[in-house]
Amino acid sequence: MRDVTFREDASRVRIGTAPRAVVTLRNLTLGLIRQSGWTNIAAATGHYRSRPDHATALLDLAV
């Protein structure tokens, strides 16, 4: 799922611990999306990409 949604195979992050950190952030993102009730991950990422204030609300962060 991460490969399709986040195009992991095309990622150029390959040095040191950066790949592991990026995968962790992607997994966190997927978990938050699922926890908030979305069933269509692609639609959810599009929604949050265009509405960063809604994305930060998932974390209870103020922008």
Side-chain angles (χ1 to χ4, degrees):
M1 178 177 297
R2 284 191 326 255
D3 181 39
V4 173
T5 305
F6 298 115
R7 294 183 226 131
E8 270 192 345
D9 287 346
S11 176
R12 299 183 57 97
V13 179
R14 301 197 193 317
I15 298 172
T17 58
R20 185 173 294 191
V22 171
V23 167
T24 300
L25 291 173
R26 289 176 178 154
N27 285 336
L28 173 65
T29 301
L30 289 172
L32 287 170
I33 287 171
R34 286 186 181 130
Q35 183 178 350
S36 63
W38 288 88
T39 55
N40 185 330
I41 303 300
T45 56
H47 171 83
Y48 291 119
R49 189 177 300 120
S50 63
R51 296 171 186 86
D53 55 320
H54 291 192
T56 56
L58 289 177
L59 300 170
D60 291 328
L61 298 175
V63 176

